[in-house]
Amino acid sequence: ILFESPSFLDWAWSPRPHIGVNINTEGDTSQGYFGLSWQFDLYRGIFFGFSLGGAVHTGNVNDSDPNQKALGSRILFRESLELGYAIDRRYRISLYLDHISNANLADHNEGIDDVGIRFGFMF
């Protein structure tokens, strides 16, 4: 969910607060995330965006399970990039890349990267 930018963030190029989830249906790591998103219109409906924030995950924290990444801590940093097209004022489609990790602040820091297609619509 991407919210309207509050006026007190105007000084920072009006980022929009966001919250979301990535659910792993195979039983591996799922995550809930939050942060701020910036978006810039480039040309005729094409836009670029990025976000900064945090994530809470259900994955392995240490190296006790050799079949899962050791993420080092339950709360991680999250960054993302997005390139998309606004079909009209209400619908958008985009490609995105996001990354979660602890930025080497813990003993283990394997991180997780996700790539996908996002379809957005305004309520």
Side-chain angles (χ1 to χ4, degrees), residues 14-108:
S14 301
R16 298 173 67 183
H18 68 263
I19 58 172
V21 295
N22 283 346
I23 299 171
N24 187 304
T25 59
E26 297 293 319
D28 290 326
T29 303
S30 295
Q31 62 177 284
Y33 58 87
F34 55 91
L36 296 174
S37 294
W38 288 261
Q39 186 172 302
F40 304 95
D41 294 330
L42 299 177
Y43 180 75
R44 294 188 181 197
I46 298 172
F47 64 90
F48 168 77
F50 69 94
S51 70
L52 301 171
V56 178
H57 67 89
T58 62
N60 190 25
V61 173
N62 56 40
D63 61 357
S64 63
D65 184 348
N67 297 319
Q68 290 190 348
K69 290 185 171 190
L71 298 173
S73 61
R74 188 65 53 208
I75 300 173
L76 303 173
F77 295 103
R78 181 181 178 275
E79 310 83 36
S80 71
L81 298 173
E82 181 174 22
L83 182 64
Y85 178 70
I87 299 166
D88 60 26
R89 290 182 45 94
R90 190 165 182 196
Y91 300 101
R92 295 172 174 253
I93 191 164
S94 61
L95 298 172
Y96 73 91
L97 165 69
D98 70 36
H99 172 78
I100 60 171
S101 73
N102 65 48
N104 285 320
L105 296 176
D107 290 338
H108 303 287

Side-chain angles (χ1 to χ4, degrees), residues 4-15 17 36:
E4 288 294 320
S5 181
S7 61
F8 70 86
L9 291 175
D10 289 350
W11 64 272
W13 300 290
S14 301
L36 296 174

